[in-house]
Every structure is written in C-alpha cells, then in structure tokens.
Amino acid sequence: MLGNNYRCHAEILDAADKIIRNNRDRIPKTLVAHKGLGGEVKFQRFPDEYAEAIAAIEHLAPAVRNVQSSAILARTNRILDPVEAVCRSHGIKYYRASGKSILSRPEGALMCNLLELIQKTKATGIDALLSFVGIGTQELRLLHSKSRATTEQRQKKDLVTLGLSEPSADKYRELMKRLAEWRALCDRQFFSLVLEGVREWMLLHAEADQARRAITTTYDVLSRLNGPFSERLEFLRRDNNEPAPDALVLTTMHSSKGLEWDRVWIIRAEETVVPDEKGIESEERRLFYVAVTRARDDLRLSTAKKNPTSRFVLEAGLG
C-alpha cells in the first residue's frame, strides 16, 4: 500500500491522518511525508463570515503576490459569496473556479442600474425596474403610449386611465416615490442610507434564492467602498475574476480534488456545513481529508462562529 505523500509537509499530513483514521471502513496504512517537517497548520474562529474572509484574504494575498499558489476552499459554492465580495472590495485578483460569480446575476446589474438612476448618471433603465416589481410588457407599452417613460410621479387615476391595473399603478407610484426619496438622500451624500434602502427594496421583490444572494453580495461589495456610486460601480465592474498565476483561487472541496497549492485556507469548518447535514459522515470526512491535503506548506482552517466547530477539526486536534 502506498503511504508516501510527496505534496504535504509532515504537520499537514499528520492533521489529515488523525482525521481519516476515524473512518473505520478504511484500510489502515501509515502516511509518510516525503518533504518532512516545515509546514504550518492553524485553526481560528471569527465573529462572522466577513471577518473570516478578510482574515483569509489578508493572509493569502501577500503570498499570491510572491507567486505562491493559494486557494480558499469551502464545502459549497455559495459559501464563497462573502469571500468574493471581499476580494472585489479589496481589489484582489481572484478566480472563482467552481462556479459562476454570483455578481454576474442580472439582479446585481439591476441594482447598479438603479444606483445610477438615483445619482442621475444614467437616464435610462426604468423599464427594467418596473418589470422587476411585476409590471408586465403590455402595461409598459401603455406607459410609453402617451409619453416616454420618465421617473416622475403620476397620479393613480391617470395611470389607470392609461390602462394599467390598480396594483400596477400602485407599484409604479411606490417606485417613483422611493426613487425621489433616494435621490434627495443622495444629493445630501447619505450614500449608506440609500444603499441600505435599495437593498431592502430589491430583497422585498426578489423571490429566487440566487437573486437574493446576488443582491446581498452586490450590496456587500458596494457598502465596503467609499465615495459616490459612480466611483463604487466603476470599481465593482473591474474584471478581476479570471484564471491567472497571481490570482487567488476560490473553489469547493469537491472541485479541489487532484489539485494542490502552496497555501490553503478552509473556511466555515463548522458542524452542519462540513459534515453536511444530509451527507454520509464517512464520505464527508473523506472530502475534508482531501481538502486538508491540498496544502503543500501552509494550512489554515476557520469558523465564523455560526455553528459549533466541525468534528473533523476536533479530530485533527486543532479545536
């Protein structure tokens, strides 16, 4: 049986071995680190997933700049949303290898469009917002039939006379009222209040889980930036999500199989996350073992204090 490991330093392999030995159906074998001592393994707890993401990125970014390959691993792709938000707000080049960026969802673009309308750096796009709240194509045509669509408030009776249903007329008036309020706040440079209001309004009308994730992640990026929305949006739209030797890799444990990096940070190492509640414990442990052994020299594991520390971390003697 092959027990030699040519990837990990002994400290990392020792932690992995302690974990996988708890799978009773596994054929026993002695793991030997060909590279010997010289690695580092560390476990940390953070108050929330954003503090965790910031710590991981601040630890790994200098290594990436020094051409040391680095990756952040998570049990599922959606757990990487806060990490991507922090990468964007910090201007860190990254590559989301295990799935599409949540920021590419249309809801993120719609939020940006709304902020441009609020700041008056863009005059078009109101139809997309009206459609988002449930006003159909035929009623949008009616709005355009007598005059071009504007962001001005109209009387409900006039809208009904045009042919809009009463619920659609109410939705139109509610959006125009909010738009006027947001513009007044924006003129006074109360950008945080506007951004919070836009997020709450969009979440109110979003139904799909991915839509809500896109809105939340877009908000998370923009709220971590400063200045008027035009400057924040320019920063958000920079294309820094692409594979490159100097890009921080964000991927899942499943997608990490067969890969390796100099430095690896495993986030959200918590009960109900890993092991997943619906998963088979032995298979979840094997997956965690794979994630741990992706690291050559430096391995960090962390939790966001939302759930108890994963049993796998405790098995490794790190909790």
Side-chain angles (χ1 to χ4, degrees):
M1 290 177 291
L2 298 176
N4 285 335
N5 180 293
Y6 295 91
R7 179 188 305 119
C8 312
H9 278 291
E11 294 85 350
I12 296 169
L13 193 61
D14 180 59
D17 188 38
K18 288 177 181 176
I19 296 166
I20 202 62
R21 283 179 182 275
N22 289 276
N23 273 4
R24 292 186 174 86
D25 58 348
R26 174 179 175 268
I27 298 174
K29 64 179 176 181
T30 302
L31 300 178
V32 178
H34 182 77
K35 296 169 75 172
L37 297 171
E40 185 175 2
V41 180
K42 188 175 181 180
F43 171 69
Q44 294 172 266
R45 294 184 179 89
F46 296 94
D48 58 54
E49 59 265 52
Y50 284 97
E52 181 184 37
I54 290 169
I57 289 165
E58 288 181 347
H59 175 69
L60 296 174
V64 173
R65 287 194 289 269
N66 290 328
V67 201
Q68 287 183 300
S69 59
S70 301
I72 295 177
L73 306 184
R75 178 62 181 82
T76 62
N77 188 52
R78 66 176 299 161
I79 293 173
L80 294 165
D81 288 352
V83 182
E84 181 176 18
V86 174
C87 282
R88 284 290 183 103
S89 62
H90 281 59
I92 302 297
K93 186 184 290 187
Y94 70 97
Y95 175 50
R96 192 153 181 177
S98 56
K100 290 184 178 180
S101 166
I102 196 65
L103 293 170
S104 64
R105 289 273 309 177
E107 293 80 13
L110 189 65
M111 177 181 279
C112 296
N113 174 65
L114 176 52
L115 293 172
E116 288 177 305
L117 281 168
I118 291 168
Q119 196 179 319
K120 300 180 183 178
T121 53
K122 184 177 181 180
T124 59
I126 194 65
D127 281 4
L129 292 162
L130 292 170
S131 178
F132 179 68
V133 300
I135 297 179
T137 304
Q138 182 58 38
E139 290 183 309
L140 289 175
R141 288 199 189 100
L142 293 172
L143 282 170
H144 285 279
S145 63
K146 299 298 181 181
S147 62
R148 64 185 180 87
T150 67
T151 57
E152 296 175 359
Q153 186 61 280
R154 304 192 198 184
Q155 294 295 321
K156 182 175 179 178
K157 61 184 176 87
D158 295 334
L159 293 168
V160 172
T161 300
L162 273 178
L164 268 68
S165 66
E166 290 199 9
S168 292
D170 289 336
K171 291 174 182 177
Y172 177 94
R173 286 173 53 78
E174 192 261 348
L175 174 57
M176 296 310 144
K177 178 184 176 183
R178 285 181 179 261
L179 187 58
E181 292 171 348
W182 290 330
R183 281 178 166 174
L185 289 171
C186 188
D187 289 342
R188 297 164 64 189
Q189 299 188 355
F190 292 152
F191 300 122
S192 295
L193 289 176
V194 174
L195 200 53
E196 288 173 12
V198 166
R199 178 193 60 176
E200 290 175 5
W201 178 80
M202 291 197 68
L203 288 174
L204 187 65
H205 295 282
E207 297 179 358
D209 179 60
Q210 281 200 327
R212 298 176 68 85
R213 282 174 54 204
I215 293 163
T216 299
T217 305
T218 303
Y219 167 84
D220 289 337
V221 177
L222 294 174
S223 64
R224 283 168 167 75
L225 300 172
N226 296 312
F229 295 131
S230 55
E231 294 179 8
R232 301 189 199 197
L233 294 175
E234 190 278 329
F235 195 94
L236 175 68
R237 288 164 174 162
R238 293 177 187 173
D239 187 11
N240 61 337
N241 176 17
E242 55 188 15
D246 59 343
L248 175 62
V249 176
L250 314 182
T251 193
T252 63
M253 294 178 182
H254 275 293
S255 298
S256 74
K257 292 179 179 179
L259 303 175
E260 57 186 83
W261 297 272
D262 296 323
R263 296 170 180 263
V264 168
W265 192 305
I266 298 173
I267 60 171
R268 301 295 304 280
E270 306 162 19
E271 289 291 306
T272 73
V273 177
V274 58
D276 182 270
E277 289 180 298
K278 298 178 182 178
I280 299 170
E281 182 174 330
S282 61
E283 293 179 1
E284 292 287 304
R285 183 178 285 109
R286 178 66 187 173
L287 181 62
F288 198 80
Y289 168 84
V290 168
V292 166
T293 55
R294 297 311 91 193
R296 298 189 188 109
D297 307 318
D298 181 69
L299 172 68
R300 303 294 169 110
L301 306 98
S302 60
T303 72
K305 289 188 178 178
K306 285 197 167 185
N307 302 293
T309 301
S310 170
R311 69 194 71 173
F312 304 149
V313 173
L314 301 179
E315 290 169 357
L318 300 172

PDB file of all heavy atoms in Angstrom, residues 17-38:
ATOM      1  N   ASP A  17      -4.094  12.746   8.696  1.00  0.00           N
ATOM      2  CA  ASP A  17      -4.086  11.343   9.130  1.00  0.00           C
ATOM      3  C   ASP A  17      -4.975  11.149  10.363  1.00  0.00           C
ATOM      4  O   ASP A  17      -5.722  10.169  10.463  1.00  0.00           O
ATOM      5  CB  ASP A  17      -2.651  10.914   9.429  1.00  0.00           C
ATOM      6  CG  ASP A  17      -2.546   9.421   9.685  1.00  0.00           C
ATOM      7  OD1 ASP A  17      -3.256   8.652   9.002  1.00  0.00           O
ATOM      8  OD2 ASP A  17      -1.772   9.025  10.575  1.00  0.00           O
ATOM      9  N   LYS A  18      -4.906  12.084  11.300  1.00  0.00           N
ATOM     10  CA  LYS A  18      -5.739  11.996  12.503  1.00  0.00           C
ATOM     11  C   LYS A  18      -7.225  12.036  12.144  1.00  0.00           C
ATOM     12  O   LYS A  18      -8.052  11.399  12.806  1.00  0.00           O
ATOM     13  CB  LYS A  18      -5.407  13.153  13.449  1.00  0.00           C
ATOM     14  CG  LYS A  18      -4.056  13.026  14.125  1.00  0.00           C
ATOM     15  CD  LYS A  18      -3.784  14.250  14.989  1.00  0.00           C
ATOM     16  CE  LYS A  18      -2.423  14.171  15.675  1.00  0.00           C
ATOM     17  NZ  LYS A  18      -2.128  15.413  16.434  1.00  0.00           N
ATOM     18  N   ILE A  19      -7.556  12.776  11.111  1.00  0.00           N
ATOM     19  CA  ILE A  19      -8.963  12.879  10.677  1.00  0.00           C
ATOM     20  C   ILE A  19      -9.412  11.578  10.028  1.00  0.00           C
ATOM     21  O   ILE A  19     -10.422  10.981  10.416  1.00  0.00           O
ATOM     22  CB  ILE A  19      -9.137  14.060   9.691  1.00  0.00           C
ATOM     23  CG1 ILE A  19      -8.846  15.396  10.377  1.00  0.00           C
ATOM     24  CG2 ILE A  19     -10.555  14.056   9.101  1.00  0.00           C
ATOM     25  CD1 ILE A  19      -8.677  16.556   9.420  1.00  0.00           C
ATOM     26  N   ILE A  20      -8.670  11.113   9.029  1.00  0.00           N
ATOM     27  CA  ILE A  20      -9.131   9.986   8.212  1.00  0.00           C
ATOM     28  C   ILE A  20      -9.106   8.674   8.981  1.00  0.00           C
ATOM     29  O   ILE A  20      -9.837   7.728   8.643  1.00  0.00           O
ATOM     30  CB  ILE A  20      -8.290   9.879   6.916  1.00  0.00           C
ATOM     31  CG1 ILE A  20      -9.057   9.104   5.839  1.00  0.00           C
ATOM     32  CG2 ILE A  20      -6.926   9.289   7.179  1.00  0.00           C
ATOM     33  CD1 ILE A  20     -10.353   9.747   5.415  1.00  0.00           C
ATOM     34  N   ARG A  21      -8.316   8.568  10.045  1.00  0.00           N
ATOM     35  CA  ARG A  21      -8.290   7.343  10.856  1.00  0.00           C
ATOM     36  C   ARG A  21      -9.641   7.073  11.521  1.00  0.00           C
ATOM     37  O   ARG A  21      -9.903   5.946  11.967  1.00  0.00           O
ATOM     38  CB  ARG A  21      -7.201   7.432  11.919  1.00  0.00           C
ATOM     39  CG  ARG A  21      -5.792   7.193  11.377  1.00  0.00           C
ATOM     40  CD  ARG A  21      -4.743   7.323  12.462  1.00  0.00           C
ATOM     41  NE  ARG A  21      -3.396   7.142  11.920  1.00  0.00           N
ATOM     42  CZ  ARG A  21      -2.803   5.965  11.752  1.00  0.00           C
ATOM     43  NH1 ARG A  21      -3.449   4.855  12.085  1.00  0.00           N
ATOM     44  NH2 ARG A  21      -1.584   5.899  11.249  1.00  0.00           N
ATOM     45  N   ASN A  22     -10.510   8.081  11.579  1.00  0.00           N
ATOM     46  CA  ASN A  22     -11.829   7.901  12.183  1.00  0.00           C
ATOM     47  C   ASN A  22     -12.822   7.216  11.239  1.00  0.00           C
ATOM     48  O   ASN A  22     -13.929   6.900  11.654  1.00  0.00           O
ATOM     49  CB  ASN A  22     -12.384   9.247  12.645  1.00  0.00           C
ATOM     50  CG  ASN A  22     -11.638   9.782  13.856  1.00  0.00           C
ATOM     51  OD1 ASN A  22     -11.943   9.421  14.991  1.00  0.00           O
ATOM     52  ND2 ASN A  22     -10.635  10.623  13.619  1.00  0.00           N
ATOM     53  N   ASN A  23     -12.436   7.004   9.997  1.00  0.00           N
ATOM     54  CA  ASN A  23     -13.244   6.210   9.073  1.00  0.00           C
ATOM     55  C   ASN A  23     -12.896   4.740   9.284  1.00  0.00           C
ATOM     56  O   ASN A  23     -11.837   4.268   8.853  1.00  0.00           O
ATOM     57  CB  ASN A  23     -12.977   6.623   7.619  1.00  0.00           C
ATOM     58  CG  ASN A  23     -13.856   7.779   7.184  1.00  0.00           C
ATOM     59  OD1 ASN A  23     -14.623   8.324   7.980  1.00  0.00           O
ATOM     60  ND2 ASN A  23     -13.752   8.163   5.927  1.00  0.00           N
ATOM     61  N   ARG A  24     -13.777   4.016   9.952  1.00  0.00           N
ATOM     62  CA  ARG A  24     -13.453   2.654  10.362  1.00  0.00           C
ATOM     63  C   ARG A  24     -13.381   1.674   9.190  1.00  0.00           C
ATOM     64  O   ARG A  24     -12.754   0.625   9.294  1.00  0.00           O
ATOM     65  CB  ARG A  24     -14.494   2.167  11.382  1.00  0.00           C
ATOM     66  CG  ARG A  24     -14.400   2.910  12.710  1.00  0.00           C
ATOM     67  CD  ARG A  24     -15.338   2.322  13.744  1.00  0.00           C
ATOM     68  NE  ARG A  24     -15.142   2.935  15.040  1.00  0.00           N
ATOM     69  CZ  ARG A  24     -15.730   4.055  15.434  1.00  0.00           C
ATOM     70  NH1 ARG A  24     -16.545   4.681  14.606  1.00  0.00           N
ATOM     71  NH2 ARG A  24     -15.511   4.560  16.632  1.00  0.00           N
ATOM     72  N   ASP A  25     -14.044   1.983   8.079  1.00  0.00           N
ATOM     73  CA  ASP A  25     -14.027   1.065   6.946  1.00  0.00           C
ATOM     74  C   ASP A  25     -12.807   1.266   6.052  1.00  0.00           C
ATOM     75  O   ASP A  25     -12.673   0.641   5.002  1.00  0.00           O
ATOM     76  CB  ASP A  25     -15.303   1.222   6.113  1.00  0.00           C
ATOM     77  CG  ASP A  25     -15.491   2.651   5.597  1.00  0.00           C
ATOM     78  OD1 ASP A  25     -14.756   3.547   6.070  1.00  0.00           O
ATOM     79  OD2 ASP A  25     -16.355   2.865   4.728  1.00  0.00           O
ATOM     80  N   ARG A  26     -11.913   2.138   6.480  1.00  0.00           N
ATOM     81  CA  ARG A  26     -10.713   2.424   5.683  1.00  0.00           C
ATOM     82  C   ARG A  26      -9.630   1.393   5.977  1.00  0.00           C
ATOM     83  O   ARG A  26      -9.430   0.977   7.112  1.00  0.00           O
ATOM     84  CB  ARG A  26     -10.208   3.837   6.028  1.00  0.00           C
ATOM     85  CG  ARG A  26      -8.883   4.219   5.393  1.00  0.00           C
ATOM     86  CD  ARG A  26      -8.532   5.647   5.793  1.00  0.00           C
ATOM     87  NE  ARG A  26      -7.209   6.042   5.311  1.00  0.00           N
ATOM     88  CZ  ARG A  26      -6.090   5.901   6.004  1.00  0.00           C
ATOM     89  NH1 ARG A  26      -6.147   5.369   7.211  1.00  0.00           N
ATOM     90  NH2 ARG A  26      -4.941   6.284   5.495  1.00  0.00           N
ATOM     91  N   ILE A  27      -8.916   1.003   4.922  1.00  0.00           N
ATOM     92  CA  ILE A  27      -7.795   0.080   5.100  1.00  0.00           C
ATOM     93  C   ILE A  27      -6.663   0.831   5.795  1.00  0.00           C
ATOM     94  O   ILE A  27      -6.203   1.866   5.300  1.00  0.00           O
ATOM     95  CB  ILE A  27      -7.311  -0.454   3.739  1.00  0.00           C
ATOM     96  CG1 ILE A  27      -8.437  -1.241   3.057  1.00  0.00           C
ATOM     97  CG2 ILE A  27      -6.065  -1.331   3.914  1.00  0.00           C
ATOM     98  CD1 ILE A  27      -8.113  -1.682   1.661  1.00  0.00           C
ATOM     99  N   PRO A  28      -6.196   0.381   6.956  1.00  0.00           N
ATOM    100  CA  PRO A  28      -5.150   1.106   7.690  1.00  0.00           C
ATOM    101  C   PRO A  28      -3.851   1.173   6.883  1.00  0.00           C
ATOM    102  O   PRO A  28      -3.443   0.198   6.257  1.00  0.00           O
ATOM    103  CB  PRO A  28      -4.960   0.265   8.965  1.00  0.00           C
ATOM    104  CG  PRO A  28      -6.184  -0.570   9.063  1.00  0.00           C
ATOM    105  CD  PRO A  28      -6.633  -0.834   7.664  1.00  0.00           C
ATOM    106  N   LYS A  29      -3.236   2.355   6.885  1.00  0.00           N
ATOM    107  CA  LYS A  29      -1.909   2.484   6.286  1.00  0.00           C
ATOM    108  C   LYS A  29      -1.201   3.671   6.922  1.00  0.00           C
ATOM    109  O   LYS A  29      -1.833   4.611   7.413  1.00  0.00           O
ATOM    110  CB  LYS A  29      -1.982   2.651   4.770  1.00  0.00           C
ATOM    111  CG  LYS A  29      -2.668   3.905   4.268  1.00  0.00           C
ATOM    112  CD  LYS A  29      -2.644   3.933   2.753  1.00  0.00           C
ATOM    113  CE  LYS A  29      -3.405   5.140   2.211  1.00  0.00           C
ATOM    114  NZ  LYS A  29      -3.397   5.170   0.730  1.00  0.00           N
ATOM    115  N   THR A  30       0.119   3.585   6.923  1.00  0.00           N
ATOM    116  CA  THR A  30       0.924   4.636   7.519  1.00  0.00           C
ATOM    117  C   THR A  30       1.268   5.684   6.460  1.00  0.00           C
ATOM    118  O   THR A  30       1.783   5.354   5.397  1.00  0.00           O
ATOM    119  CB  THR A  30       2.228   4.056   8.100  1.00  0.00           C
ATOM    120  OG1 THR A  30       1.895   3.060   9.070  1.00  0.00           O
ATOM    121  CG2 THR A  30       3.064   5.156   8.742  1.00  0.00           C
ATOM    122  N   LEU A  31       0.932   6.937   6.750  1.00  0.00           N
ATOM    123  CA  LEU A  31       1.229   8.022   5.822  1.00  0.00           C
ATOM    124  C   LEU A  31       2.571   8.662   6.192  1.00  0.00           C
ATOM    125  O   LEU A  31       2.816   8.982   7.352  1.00  0.00           O
ATOM    126  CB  LEU A  31       0.114   9.082   5.881  1.00  0.00           C
ATOM    127  CG  LEU A  31      -1.293   8.596   5.526  1.00  0.00           C
ATOM    128  CD1 LEU A  31      -2.305   9.732   5.666  1.00  0.00           C
ATOM    129  CD2 LEU A  31      -1.337   8.045   4.102  1.00  0.00           C
ATOM    130  N   VAL A  32       3.401   8.820   5.205  1.00  0.00           N
ATOM    131  CA  VAL A  32       4.735   9.377   5.420  1.00  0.00           C
ATOM    132  C   VAL A  32       4.913  10.594   4.532  1.00  0.00           C
ATOM    133  O   VAL A  32       4.706  10.527   3.308  1.00  0.00           O
ATOM    134  CB  VAL A  32       5.840   8.347   5.101  1.00  0.00           C
ATOM    135  CG1 VAL A  32       7.218   8.970   5.295  1.00  0.00           C
ATOM    136  CG2 VAL A  32       5.672   7.110   5.963  1.00  0.00           C
ATOM    137  N   ALA A  33       5.284  11.730   5.138  1.00  0.00           N
ATOM    138  CA  ALA A  33       5.505  12.968   4.383  1.00  0.00           C
ATOM    139  C   ALA A  33       6.930  12.972   3.839  1.00  0.00           C
ATOM    140  O   ALA A  33       7.896  13.093   4.592  1.00  0.00           O
ATOM    141  CB  ALA A  33       5.266  14.174   5.269  1.00  0.00           C
ATOM    142  N   HIS A  34       7.042  12.846   2.530  1.00  0.00           N
ATOM    143  CA  HIS A  34       8.365  12.820   1.895  1.00  0.00           C
ATOM    144  C   HIS A  34       9.120  14.139   2.135  1.00  0.00           C
ATOM    145  O   HIS A  34      10.358  14.137   2.248  1.00  0.00           O
ATOM    146  CB  HIS A  34       8.201  12.577   0.394  1.00  0.00           C
ATOM    147  CG  HIS A  34       9.494  12.494  -0.353  1.00  0.00           C
ATOM    148  ND1 HIS A  34      10.304  11.379  -0.323  1.00  0.00           N
ATOM    149  CD2 HIS A  34      10.130  13.399  -1.144  1.00  0.00           C
ATOM    150  CE1 HIS A  34      11.372  11.600  -1.058  1.00  0.00           C
ATOM    151  NE2 HIS A  34      11.293  12.814  -1.572  1.00  0.00           N
ATOM    152  N   LYS A  35       8.382  15.250   2.249  1.00  0.00           N
ATOM    153  CA  LYS A  35       9.010  16.570   2.427  1.00  0.00           C
ATOM    154  C   LYS A  35       9.466  16.811   3.863  1.00  0.00           C
ATOM    155  O   LYS A  35      10.193  17.777   4.136  1.00  0.00           O
ATOM    156  CB  LYS A  35       8.044  17.682   1.993  1.00  0.00           C
ATOM    157  CG  LYS A  35       7.711  17.641   0.509  1.00  0.00           C
ATOM    158  CD  LYS A  35       6.556  18.557   0.149  1.00  0.00           C
ATOM    159  CE  LYS A  35       6.965  20.007   0.150  1.00  0.00           C
ATOM    160  NZ  LYS A  35       5.883  20.879  -0.391  1.00  0.00           N
ATOM    161  N   GLY A  36       9.006  15.983   4.793  1.00  0.00           N
ATOM    162  CA  GLY A  36       9.409  16.142   6.182  1.00  0.00           C
ATOM    163  C   GLY A  36       8.748  17.325   6.862  1.00  0.00           C
ATOM    164  O   GLY A  36       7.720  17.844   6.410  1.00  0.00           O
ATOM    165  N   LEU A  37       9.347  17.773   7.958  1.00  0.00           N
ATOM    166  CA  LEU A  37       8.804  18.896   8.719  1.00  0.00           C
ATOM    167  C   LEU A  37       9.011  20.213   7.976  1.00  0.00           C
ATOM    168  O   LEU A  37       9.808  20.298   7.049  1.00  0.00           O
ATOM    169  CB  LEU A  37       9.479  18.962  10.090  1.00  0.00           C
ATOM    170  CG  LEU A  37       9.249  17.755  11.015  1.00  0.00           C
ATOM    171  CD1 LEU A  37      10.146  17.862  12.245  1.00  0.00           C
ATOM    172  CD2 LEU A  37       7.781  17.662  11.421  1.00  0.00           C
ATOM    173  N   GLY A  38       8.263  21.241   8.431  1.00  0.00           N
ATOM    174  CA  GLY A  38       8.415  22.563   7.825  1.00  0.00           C
ATOM    175  C   GLY A  38       7.108  23.224   7.434  1.00  0.00           C
ATOM    176  O   GLY A  38       7.087  24.367   6.981  1.00  0.00           O
TER     177      GLY A  38
END
